[in-house]
mmCIF file of all heavy atoms in Angstrom:
data_model
loop_
_atom_site.group_PDB
_atom_site.id
_atom_site.type_symbol
_atom_site.label_atom_id
_atom_site.label_comp_id
_atom_site.label_asym_id
_atom_site.label_seq_id
_atom_site.Cartn_x
_atom_site.Cartn_y
_atom_site.Cartn_z
ATOM 1 N N ASP A 492 6.241 9.811 -24.432
ATOM 2 C CA ASP A 492 7.508 10.534 -24.574
ATOM 3 C C ASP A 492 8.675 9.708 -24.040
ATOM 4 O O ASP A 492 9.767 9.707 -24.626
ATOM 5 C CB ASP A 492 7.437 11.872 -23.831
ATOM 6 C CG ASP A 492 6.526 12.869 -24.526
ATOM 7 O OD1 ASP A 492 6.151 12.603 -25.687
ATOM 8 O OD2 ASP A 492 6.186 13.895 -23.922
ATOM 9 N N ASP A 493 8.454 9.006 -22.927
ATOM 10 C CA ASP A 493 9.501 8.152 -22.371
ATOM 11 C C ASP A 493 9.824 6.999 -23.309
ATOM 12 O O ASP A 493 10.996 6.649 -23.526
ATOM 13 C CB ASP A 493 9.070 7.608 -21.005
ATOM 14 C CG ASP A 493 9.091 8.676 -19.923
ATOM 15 O OD1 ASP A 493 9.676 9.751 -20.153
ATOM 16 O OD2 ASP A 493 8.530 8.423 -18.831
ATOM 17 N N ILE A 494 8.779 6.393 -23.867
ATOM 18 C CA ILE A 494 8.978 5.258 -24.778
ATOM 19 C C ILE A 494 9.763 5.694 -26.019
ATOM 20 O O ILE A 494 10.716 5.028 -26.435
ATOM 21 C CB ILE A 494 7.616 4.651 -25.181
ATOM 22 C CG1 ILE A 494 6.954 3.982 -23.963
ATOM 23 C CG2 ILE A 494 7.788 3.632 -26.313
ATOM 24 C CD1 ILE A 494 5.559 3.471 -24.221
ATOM 25 N N MET A 495 9.388 6.826 -26.584
ATOM 26 C CA MET A 495 10.070 7.318 -27.788
ATOM 27 C C MET A 495 11.521 7.693 -27.478
ATOM 28 O O MET A 495 12.419 7.450 -28.295
ATOM 29 C CB MET A 495 9.324 8.518 -28.359
ATOM 30 C CG MET A 495 7.930 8.187 -28.887
ATOM 31 S SD MET A 495 7.931 6.840 -30.113
ATOM 32 C CE MET A 495 8.898 7.598 -31.417
ATOM 33 N N LEU A 496 11.759 8.288 -26.315
ATOM 34 C CA LEU A 496 13.120 8.662 -25.934
ATOM 35 C C LEU A 496 14.023 7.434 -25.869
ATOM 36 O O LEU A 496 15.144 7.436 -26.391
ATOM 37 C CB LEU A 496 13.103 9.375 -24.580
ATOM 38 C CG LEU A 496 14.475 9.739 -23.992
ATOM 39 C CD1 LEU A 496 15.142 10.811 -24.851
ATOM 40 C CD2 LEU A 496 14.329 10.212 -22.546
ATOM 41 N N ILE A 497 13.529 6.368 -25.247
ATOM 42 C CA ILE A 497 14.328 5.147 -25.117
ATOM 43 C C ILE A 497 14.522 4.479 -26.474
ATOM 44 O O ILE A 497 15.643 4.088 -26.834
ATOM 45 C CB ILE A 497 13.670 4.178 -24.117
ATOM 46 C CG1 ILE A 497 13.628 4.804 -22.718
ATOM 47 C CG2 ILE A 497 14.429 2.851 -24.084
ATOM 48 C CD1 ILE A 497 14.978 5.221 -22.181
ATOM 49 N N ARG A 498 13.462 4.383 -27.257
ATOM 50 C CA ARG A 498 13.559 3.729 -28.565
ATOM 51 C C ARG A 498 14.542 4.447 -29.483
ATOM 52 O O ARG A 498 15.363 3.821 -30.159
ATOM 53 C CB ARG A 498 12.174 3.693 -29.227
ATOM 54 C CG ARG A 498 11.287 2.545 -28.779
ATOM 55 C CD ARG A 498 9.969 2.615 -29.509
ATOM 56 N NE ARG A 498 9.071 1.531 -29.108
ATOM 57 C CZ ARG A 498 7.767 1.512 -29.373
ATOM 58 N NH1 ARG A 498 7.212 2.526 -30.030
ATOM 59 N NH2 ARG A 498 7.026 0.503 -28.985
ATOM 60 N N GLU A 499 14.465 5.763 -29.510
ATOM 61 C CA GLU A 499 15.222 6.525 -30.499
ATOM 62 C C GLU A 499 16.632 6.886 -30.062
ATOM 63 O O GLU A 499 17.517 7.075 -30.918
ATOM 64 C CB GLU A 499 14.440 7.804 -30.836
ATOM 65 C CG GLU A 499 13.097 7.534 -31.511
ATOM 66 C CD GLU A 499 12.292 8.800 -31.743
ATOM 67 O OE1 GLU A 499 12.804 9.890 -31.392
ATOM 68 O OE2 GLU A 499 11.164 8.698 -32.259
ATOM 69 N N GLN A 500 16.874 6.992 -28.746
ATOM 70 C CA GLN A 500 18.166 7.504 -28.311
ATOM 71 C C GLN A 500 18.983 6.561 -27.424
ATOM 72 O O GLN A 500 20.215 6.625 -27.434
ATOM 73 C CB GLN A 500 17.973 8.835 -27.567
ATOM 74 C CG GLN A 500 17.334 9.924 -28.411
ATOM 75 C CD GLN A 500 17.248 11.249 -27.680
ATOM 76 O OE1 GLN A 500 18.086 11.565 -26.832
ATOM 77 N NE2 GLN A 500 16.226 12.030 -27.990
ATOM 78 N N HIS A 501 18.331 5.703 -26.661
ATOM 79 C CA HIS A 501 19.075 4.976 -25.638
ATOM 80 C C HIS A 501 18.990 3.446 -25.715
ATOM 81 O O HIS A 501 19.706 2.765 -24.989
ATOM 82 C CB HIS A 501 18.602 5.421 -24.243
ATOM 83 C CG HIS A 501 18.734 6.885 -24.001
ATOM 84 N ND1 HIS A 501 19.951 7.503 -23.860
ATOM 85 C CD2 HIS A 501 17.802 7.860 -23.899
ATOM 86 C CE1 HIS A 501 19.770 8.796 -23.653
ATOM 87 N NE2 HIS A 501 18.471 9.048 -23.681
ATOM 88 N N LEU A 502 18.105 2.929 -26.537
ATOM 89 C CA LEU A 502 17.880 1.485 -26.543
ATOM 90 C C LEU A 502 19.152 0.710 -26.893
ATOM 91 O O LEU A 502 19.494 -0.280 -26.233
ATOM 92 C CB LEU A 502 16.756 1.128 -27.515
ATOM 93 C CG LEU A 502 16.367 -0.353 -27.575
ATOM 94 C CD1 LEU A 502 15.998 -0.874 -26.183
ATOM 95 C CD2 LEU A 502 15.210 -0.571 -28.546
ATOM 96 N N ALA A 503 19.865 1.141 -27.898
ATOM 97 C CA ALA A 503 21.060 0.408 -28.340
ATOM 98 C C ALA A 503 22.117 0.348 -27.241
ATOM 99 O O ALA A 503 22.696 -0.718 -26.975
ATOM 100 C CB ALA A 503 21.637 1.065 -29.593
ATOM 101 N N SER A 504 22.367 1.479 -26.589
ATOM 102 C CA SER A 504 23.399 1.495 -25.548
ATOM 103 C C SER A 504 22.992 0.668 -24.326
ATOM 104 O O SER A 504 23.825 -0.013 -23.718
ATOM 105 C CB SER A 504 23.696 2.937 -25.123
ATOM 106 O OG SER A 504 22.542 3.564 -24.584
ATOM 107 N N ILE A 505 21.698 0.710 -23.984
ATOM 108 C CA ILE A 505 21.230 -0.092 -22.854
ATOM 109 C C ILE A 505 21.342 -1.573 -23.189
ATOM 110 O O ILE A 505 21.774 -2.388 -22.369
ATOM 111 C CB ILE A 505 19.789 0.287 -22.465
ATOM 112 C CG1 ILE A 505 19.734 1.708 -21.915
ATOM 113 C CG2 ILE A 505 19.249 -0.701 -21.422
ATOM 114 C CD1 ILE A 505 18.344 2.200 -21.599
ATOM 115 N N MET A 506 20.975 -1.943 -24.413
ATOM 116 C CA MET A 506 21.047 -3.349 -24.809
ATOM 117 C C MET A 506 22.488 -3.849 -24.808
ATOM 118 O O MET A 506 22.749 -5.007 -24.483
ATOM 119 C CB MET A 506 20.406 -3.546 -26.181
ATOM 120 C CG MET A 506 18.888 -3.517 -26.173
ATOM 121 S SD MET A 506 18.142 -4.766 -25.080
ATOM 122 C CE MET A 506 18.688 -6.284 -25.877
#
Side-chain angles (χ1 to χ4, degrees):
D492 289 348
D493 288 346
I494 292 175
M495 294 306 296
L496 176 67
I497 297 303
R498 277 181 180 165
E499 296 176 1
Q500 299 184 30
H501 303 290
L502 183 55
S504 61
I505 294 176
M506 284 302 296

